[in-house]
Amino acid sequence: MVRITEDLIRKRAEHNNCELSTLEEVSLHQQDVERIEHLDKWCRELKILYLQSNLIPQIENVGRLKKLEYLNMALNNVERIENLEGCESLKKLDLTVNFVGEISSIKNLKELCHLRELFLVGNPCAQFDGYRDYVIVTLPQLKYLDGQEIEKSERITAAQNYENVVKKIKLQEEEHRKTREKQKNEAKEKKEKTKKEKKAGFDGRWYTDINNTVRSEDENNENKKGDDSGDEEELNKKAQEKKDKEFWEEKTAFTPESRMEVHEFMQQQRQRDEQKNKKPEKPPRRLFADDGRAFNVNEPKIDFTLTDDDDNNMVLDLATFRFLDTSLIDVDVQTNYVRVVIKGK
């Protein structure tokens, strides 16, 4: 889970010299944020807040942002419009492609007299019969709904049919609520099943010492094939590719749970790729053998000669870089070895 931290906000506030108390605009999109927090305490002057393309399930902790004019929470997991009553300056709210099914929750926006634009396209409620008429009458201060201007004639027609529309909306809300309960239960069962399979082993079966001692003929044939192929890593790779393909081809409803599942799966893929591409750590350089004998090491790969002159003196000649500062050369002469460190090598 990615948290909204002070460091994260400061990085996104470079245009304001990283100052939070006077910050008027901040973009925290595509950060895998799962909860809105701290902004109402640290950034009380905010006018524009971008939180699109995250994993936020609930609108919260923005009620103290009295100067907030534009809130973008498109592509999140919001199911209900709430906790915005304190945003008295709010003019534009974007909830495109969320999971708002409780359309009656827009009543929480009635007191926001400055609200002019609302985006709910891509939400389940936008498919309700009478959706547009219901929103237009419930929020008379709106001028645009889903990017389309609300005409005066449209307001009159919507007001005339309002009572019938409310009845339809209530029935559709109840139907949506039942569907969501079913989806949540299915997601919960699927998660428990996945956990159980992981505990059971790669094929989902429990093993004991008894049934593990004697293999069936099929298992022996399978193992024989694996042994013949010779490359265990290649087999694991193919098994993972098959698993990935099955995951992406599986048909599921577009729900907050399935979106979280995709996010977690992609995270696991990234971790596998990072592990795969991670360069193995080099063992520490050994300069001496176990018996104390010095190894011949030439890390910087420079030319050198070690000669014995006529006076029985050992002469070490190093070909260092032409403009190398002598402060970057360290020489340590001992009775049985010479250590020269050039630029740390």
Side-chain angles (χ1 to χ4, degrees), residues 49-64:
L49 176 57
Y50 296 101
L51 286 167
Q52 67 269 31
S53 300
N54 282 297
L55 300 162
I56 301 167
Q58 183 180 8
I59 304 172
E60 58 184 341
N61 298 322
V62 291
R64 297 182 189 178

Side-chain angles (χ1 to χ4, degrees), residues 47-243:
K47 292 183 178 179
I48 301 174
L49 176 57
Y50 296 101
L51 286 167
Q52 67 269 31
S53 300
N54 282 297
L55 300 162
I56 301 167
Q58 183 180 8
I59 304 172
E60 58 184 341
N61 298 322
V62 291
R64 297 182 189 178
L65 300 176
K66 304 295 181 183
K67 298 182 180 180
L68 188 66
E69 296 179 2
Y70 176 31
L71 175 60
N72 190 332
M73 290 189 65
L75 292 163
N76 275 281
N77 293 344
V78 176
E79 295 191 63
R80 191 173 190 275
I81 302 171
E82 57 188 341
N83 301 320
L84 288 167
E85 294 86 350
C87 302
E88 53 194 39
S89 300
L90 193 64
K91 296 179 180 178
K92 183 176 179 180
L93 176 61
D94 192 342
L95 290 168
T96 301
V97 191
N98 274 269
F99 298 93
V100 178
E102 190 181 337
I103 186 61
S104 57
S105 63
I106 64 168
K107 291 177 181 178
N108 294 323
L109 305 175
K110 287 181 75 171
E111 302 302 320
L112 302 180
C113 58
H114 298 290
L115 187 64
R116 295 293 178 267
E117 294 184 66
L118 177 63
F119 288 85
L120 288 170
V121 65
N123 285 268
C125 65
Q127 303 299 318
F128 289 179
D129 185 19
Y131 149 75
R132 189 171 174 86
D133 289 346
Y134 181 80
V135 176
I136 290 171
V137 178
T138 306
L139 302 176
Q141 72 271 40
L142 283 183
K143 288 189 175 180
Y144 296 89
L145 177 58
D146 296 332
Q148 185 178 344
E149 187 176 1
I150 302 169
E151 302 289 343
K152 189 175 180 180
S153 58
E154 191 177 9
R155 291 185 190 278
I156 295 170
T157 305
Q160 290 172 344
N161 300 326
Y162 188 63
E163 288 186 10
N164 293 329
V165 167
V166 170
K167 291 177 183 178
K168 288 181 183 178
I169 291 294
K170 284 182 179 179
L171 291 172
Q172 292 172 98
E173 270 192 336
E174 182 60 25
E175 189 64 31
H176 175 75
R177 186 188 64 78
K178 290 177 181 178
T179 302
R180 282 295 295 131
E181 285 297 324
K182 185 180 177 182
Q183 290 171 346
K184 287 176 183 178
N185 290 333
E186 288 175 352
K188 187 178 179 181
E189 289 173 4
K190 185 179 179 181
K191 203 168 187 179
E192 289 174 354
K193 184 181 177 183
T194 303
K195 282 183 180 179
K196 189 175 179 181
E197 286 176 352
K198 283 182 179 178
K199 287 180 181 178
F202 75 95
D203 60 356
R205 290 180 292 171
W206 291 96
Y207 290 92
T208 65
D209 291 336
I210 297 172
N211 64 23
N212 206 21
T213 54
V214 182
R215 291 175 176 170
S216 66
E217 187 178 346
D218 291 340
E219 285 177 317
N220 284 326
N221 291 336
E222 190 72 25
N223 289 335
K224 190 176 180 181
K225 288 179 184 177
D227 293 337
D228 292 340
S229 67
D231 195 348
E232 186 179 348
E233 187 176 340
E234 187 64 27
L235 287 173
N236 291 336
K237 183 181 176 183
K238 288 180 179 178
Q240 188 60 54
E241 286 176 354
K242 183 181 177 183
K243 186 179 177 183

